[in-house]
Structures are given as C-alpha cells and as structure tokens.
Amino acid sequence: MLNIPDSGKKRIVIVGCGFAGLTIARKLKNSDYQVVIIDKHNYHQFPPLFYQVASAGLDESSILFPLRKIFQGYNDYHIRKAEVRSVDTANKKLVTSGGTIRYDYLVLAHGATNSYFGSVQMQNHSKAMKTIAEVIDLRNNLLMNFENSLIAADESEREKHLNIVIIGGGPSGVEIAGALAEMNKHIIPKDYPELRTNRPRIFLIEAADRLLNIMSPRSSMKAREFLEDAGIKVLTGTKAVGCDEDTVYLDPGDSIKTKMIIWTAGIKGNLIDGFDNKVFTKSGRIIVDRFNRIMNYEDIYAIGDIAWMTEEKYPNGHPQVAQVAIQQSKLLAANLKRRITGDPWKEFRYRDLGTMATIGRHLAVVELPFVHFQGIFGWYVWMFIHLMSIVGVRNKLIIFFNWAWKYITYDQSTRLILRPKGYS
Ligand SMILES: Cc1cc2nc3c(=O)[nH]c(=O)nc-3n(C[C@H](O)[C@H](O)[C@H](O)COP(=O)(O)OP(=O)(O)OC[C@H]3O[C@@H](n4cnc5c(N)ncnc54)[C@H](O)[C@@H]3O)c2cc1C
C-alpha cells in the first residue's frame, strides 16, 4: 500500500513528474483535490540540457530538482517514489512497485523512452540520453574512451576509441554533436596533449536528406554549416542499419569503427499495462481527445509526451516537446477545477512558441512564430529561454555562472569518471 491518508477530498493521482506532471501538480495547488504524485525518481529532470551534462559541460545536480523540495508547503499533496506498473481501470486502482493506490481521477504523464526500432544490437551497444542515468553513463563512457585511446595496443584500436558516432540528426543529435565538437577543440588538447595531433572524430548520421527535419530548410542548412565548420562529419541520407561491439554499419554500404555510439534517433511511449491495445499508437503513445481524455476510459487522462492528440494543424499528433506538455497540463488543471465549479470544459489548442537548437558555445538556429534567425543572437535567445525555464533561483544562478565561466575560459566543469562499485 502507498499509505495515502483519506482527506475526504477527491483524489487526483499523477503518474510522472516531468514537465507535464510538474506543471499540472503546481497548477492544482489550493484546489479542492487531494494530489498524489508518483514518480520512479525522487527528482524532476530538465532534458533540454542533458547534452551539456553528457559532454561534461554541466554538473547533473544543476538540472535535477528534488520533488520534496519543489512541493514543500503544498497542502494535502503526497509524493511517493514508486514505479507504476499497471492500472486496474474497473476498480480505479493503480498497481505500483510500492503497492496499490486508489484514484478518483488519474493523470498519466509518464513520458517516453528510447525506441531502437527493434534493433537489439543498437540497444545493447549504443548510449542514449533519455534519463539522467543514461546521460551519466554516456559521459563516463566518453571519458573512458579518451583514456583507453592512450593505452590502446595499436592504431586501429586507438581509432575505435576516438571515433564518436551520433545517430539521429534531430535537435538532440545536433546539440550533442555541437557540444562534443567544442570539447574536441578546446578541452582535448589541454587535457590530453598526446591527442593533439590525433583528435577524436565525430560523425553525425541522419537517415533523412537534411538535419533538423522539423525546422525550415534554411535552419537545417545553417546547422549543417555550423557543424561542418566545427569539424563534424555530417552524413545525411544515410541509415545506420546495425552495429556490433566496435562497428556501426551504414546504408548505403559503409561502416565506421567505433566504441562510442550515441543514439538519439527514436522514441516510444513508456508502457503501463491495463489498457486495451486500441488506445495505443504504433509508437506507444496513448490516444486522447481534445480534453486529454483516454477514449472509453472514465476519469483517466494522458498529457505530455505519452499523449497523442490530433488537431486540424497536427493530423499526426503534436511534437513531443516541453511546450506541448506544459500547455496540456495547464489546461487539464483548469478543466479539472471546472469539474468542481460545474463550468464547461475547454478544448486544447496548441500554441507553437517556436523551435530552436544550439550548436556549441555560441551558435543556435531559432524559429519563433514570426521570425527565424541563426548565429550568436540565436544563442543568446536560446540561453535566456532555457535559463528562465529552469526550476529554482539557485539552479538558474549556478547554470548562469557556469555558462559565463565557460564562455570566458572555454573550460568545462565535470570531467570525472564516476562509476558504481564493481566497475573499474
Ligand atoms: C535529450 C533531450 C533533449 C530535449 N530537448 C528539448 C528542448 O530543447 N526543447 C523541448 O521543448 N523539448 C526537448 N525535449 C523533449 C522534452 O524533454 C519532452 O517533450 C518533455 O520532457 C515531455 O515531458 P513529459 O512530462 O511528458 O515527460 P518526461 O519529462 O519524460 O517525464 C516523465 C516522468 O515520468 C516518470 N516515469 C516514467 N515511467 C514511470 C512509471 N512507470 N512510474 C512512475 N514514474 C514514471 C519519469 O521518471 C519522469 O519523471 C528533449 C528531450 C530529450 C530526451
């Protein structure tokens, strides 16, 4: 049992405290509901800056926020660290790793995970960036590869440790590529003087014919130009069709020897059992109506990355980005309050506030609703928006000073290999 006291109020259980879960939970403050938040982690994470942690540019504690601190002082809010496994919709109960819990209203905000499109090899041999645990693992491996390149038995072995292959040329792939190029230019020669003449080589592989497919062709072209200027080998129209321990195989027929594959190419919904298969899309998202209600299930809602809703402008569902999660959560909180007052519910309509991707320390491509721009001004806009979105003044200040320090010194903060007991 999750031991939640009965306060006499209707109970809303929120599964997951990412952008969607956090926003709806905050918006329900002082409502007439009891709120229970269940997450398998005891913190909220900020994925847009994962690539900076992966490339040793930011300390992970700057982008993680303890849930209990966020919700200090919230009345009749209860947090449980547990993994939700299934829903018993007939009895309005959730089954979790910590026991069962009853709900009156259930809000699913448990997000998405990596999809390897069925490739077991890719899953086993690549590193991903969907959770902070994966990001730290990626960083450790990256740094271990630099160390191993120095003690490699021969040139071919050394090459494998120094080749970095990023698969997926969307915003995450472009951002990690840019950050690694910067590391290659400014950090490697100082930390590893022996690698000055034999630096890591970074490849960015994209199956479509251009990077940043979700942005305009001009932004794609600019991003490619920035990356190539920084020394990245960009291969578009190229599919990674398989891999093993030290090779990535490409279509059309080629291969790259590497010990470092970074996978950013696919995502699918996190799975919770108990629903009819009909509610899922092929990529595991849950189909909802314009009120975020799951079809044929009473009092159950899905928001954020896990939800799949169509609008006239979005016949294939919304993009899986933070703004969709935040806007859906705000509206659902307001609608749940309307349930108490008896007011009619409002339909969701996505307001696209823009898309951006940063490349290295001072370049970005930015597309706002009425204006597109690239370069250093784009980077300032990117920096401002991300800084403002970070939870907590302390974290804002830490990240701001970290960026300012990096900007002036070209140095990075955390190049430590920290592994759990049992690893060398
Ligand atoms: C590397 C990376 C970079 C990104 N950059 C950007 C960007 O620049 N701009 C942008 O708009 N978007 C970006 N995104 C996308 C954005 O992060 C997501 O759209 C957003 O996080 C979705 O929010 P969510 O609340 O739906 O899911 P999430 O933020 O994924 O939160 C899901 C929560 O559910 C919890 N959970 C999962 N399963 C269970 C379970 N079974 N039981 C209990 N808890 C569970 C997780 O621990 C997590 O806390 C990026 C994503 C990644 C991975």
Side-chain angles (χ1 to χ4, degrees):
M1 290 293 284
L2 292 187
N3 294 331
I4 308 292
D6 195 342
S7 65
K9 294 180 188 167
K10 292 277 186 197
R11 176 183 293 169
I12 297 180
V13 176
I14 301 169
V15 180
C17 203
F19 281 109
L22 177 70
T23 307
I24 190 167
R26 281 176 150 177
K27 289 284 165 190
L28 287 169
K29 190 179 182 186
N30 299 330
S31 67
D32 281 329
Y33 291 108
Q34 177 183 62
V35 175
V36 178
I37 299 159
I38 307 179
D39 199 298
K40 56 183 175 182
H41 301 116
N42 75 337
Y43 48 78
H44 165 77
Q45 41 192 1
F46 191 79
L49 294 182
F50 275 179
Y51 80 94
Q52 295 215 348
V53 176
S55 57
L58 259 190
D59 180 4
E60 53 275 18
S61 65
S62 319
I63 58 159
L64 301 176
F65 317 93
L67 297 184
R68 293 197 179 275
K69 183 162 164 46
I70 296 174
F71 292 103
Q72 275 174 9
Y74 280 58
N75 189 26
D76 208 5
Y77 271 56
H78 306 269
I79 298 167
R80 291 294 180 269
K81 182 186 174 308
E83 181 161 355
V84 174
R85 299 200 168 131
S86 64
V87 193
D88 172 358
T89 54
N91 296 302
K92 292 191 128 185
K93 277 188 182 154
L94 270 184
V95 180
T96 81
S97 55
T100 58
I101 177 175
R102 170 192 68 73
Y103 62 82
D104 293 303
Y105 306 106
L106 177 62
V107 178
L108 298 176
H110 55 293
T113 184
N114 304 294
S115 166
Y116 298 90
F117 307 114
S119 170
V120 179
Q121 296 108 310
M122 206 51 92
Q123 184 167 357
N124 289 343
H125 298 300
S126 68
K127 300 291 168 194
M129 294 200 298
K130 276 309 261 175
T131 64
I132 197 69
E134 290 174 346
V135 168
I136 293 170
D137 185 42
L138 193 166
R139 186 182 70 202
N140 281 333
N141 273 274
L142 185 73
L143 298 172
M144 267 316 290
N145 276 320
F146 297 153
E147 297 298 333
N148 285 336
S149 74
L150 300 178
I151 52 174
D154 55 39
E155 203 41 52
S156 127
E157 206 46 39
R158 181 196 301 260
E159 191 190 333
K160 283 180 207 166
H161 290 293
L162 291 180
N163 281 347
I164 301 168
V165 179
I166 302 159
I167 303 175
S172 299
V174 164
E175 291 191 334
I176 185 74
L180 292 177
E182 199 111 278
M183 186 179 194
N184 209 3
K185 188 168 174 199
H186 300 293
I187 305 295
I188 297 288
K190 288 192 267 179
D191 275 15
Y192 301 90
E194 292 108 310
L195 295 182
R196 262 188 201 149
T197 52
N198 193 8
R199 295 219 202 146
R201 289 199 302 161
I202 304 162
F203 300 82
L204 178 59
I205 314 287
E206 167 57 48
D209 60 2
R210 62 184 178 98
L211 300 176
L212 298 177
N213 225 348
I214 53 165
M215 299 180 88
S216 67
R218 180 170 161 74
S219 295
S220 298
M221 192 201 53
K222 274 286 173 195
R224 183 178 189 134
E225 194 183 302
F226 292 153
L227 288 171
E228 288 182 336
D229 286 350
I232 308 274
K233 177 106 175 119
V234 179
L235 299 173
T236 47
T238 306
K239 244 186 178 164
V241 286
C243 69
D244 56 33
E245 217 171 62
D246 47 22
T247 312
V248 174
Y249 299 97
L250 304 175
D251 178 20
D254 206 347
S255 63
I256 305 170
K257 291 280 172 204
T258 181
K259 290 273 186 200
M260 186 76 231
I261 308 171
I262 301 177
W263 178 260
T264 69
I267 75 171
K268 64 176 183 196
N270 282 316
L271 187 66
I272 288 179
D273 288 332
F275 293 106
D276 194 298
N277 274 342
K278 279 193 219 135
V279 306
F280 295 107
T281 65
K282 270 192 197 145
S283 60
R285 290 169 82 178
I286 299 177
I287 301 168
V288 294
D289 65 12
R290 294 285 289 274
F291 303 103
N292 285 92
R293 289 182 305 215
I294 303 179
M295 59 174 189
N296 300 330
Y297 289 97
E298 215 170 304
D299 301 328
I300 309 186
Y301 309 88
I303 48 177
D305 274 7
I306 191 65
W308 188 85
M309 179 197 293
T310 57
E311 275 185 54
E312 303 73 33
K313 249 183 101 181
Y314 299 93
N316 300 316
H318 297 114
Q320 284 160 294
V321 293
Q323 267 307 317
V324 173
I326 291 168
Q327 291 178 28
Q328 286 183 347
S329 317
K330 284 183 179 168
L331 183 68
L332 183 57
N335 278 337
L336 285 166
K337 287 182 191 166
R338 288 186 186 108
R339 183 182 282 275
I340 292 173
T341 56
D343 292 324
W345 282 38
K346 290 198 175 146
E347 273 192 353
F348 181 74
R349 185 174 300 276
Y350 178 48
R351 217 173 116 239
D352 185 0
L353 298 180
T355 316
M356 53 186 82
T358 174
I359 298 138
R361 201 182 57 115
H362 59 218
L363 293 171
V365 288
V366 177
E367 295 188 350
L368 301 181
F370 301 107
V371 57
H372 293 186
F373 46 91
Q374 305 87 20
I376 189 149
F377 179 62
W379 185 78
Y380 280 115
V381 170
W382 175 92
M383 185 183 75
F384 178 75
I385 288 176
H386 282 77
L387 210 52
M388 289 303 109
S389 317
I390 292 277
V391 180
V393 176
R394 174 189 161 272
N395 295 70
K396 279 189 180 61
L397 285 176
I398 291 176
I399 291 179
F400 177 73
F401 284 119
N402 196 297
W403 283 346
W405 181 251
K406 224 170 33 156
Y407 196 80
I408 299 163
T409 63
Y410 282 97
D411 207 352
Q412 290 170 304
S413 59
T414 43
R415 298 193 293 279
L416 309 173
I417 300 171
L418 299 172
R419 298 186 126 157
K421 202 173 156 189
Y423 285 85
S424 54

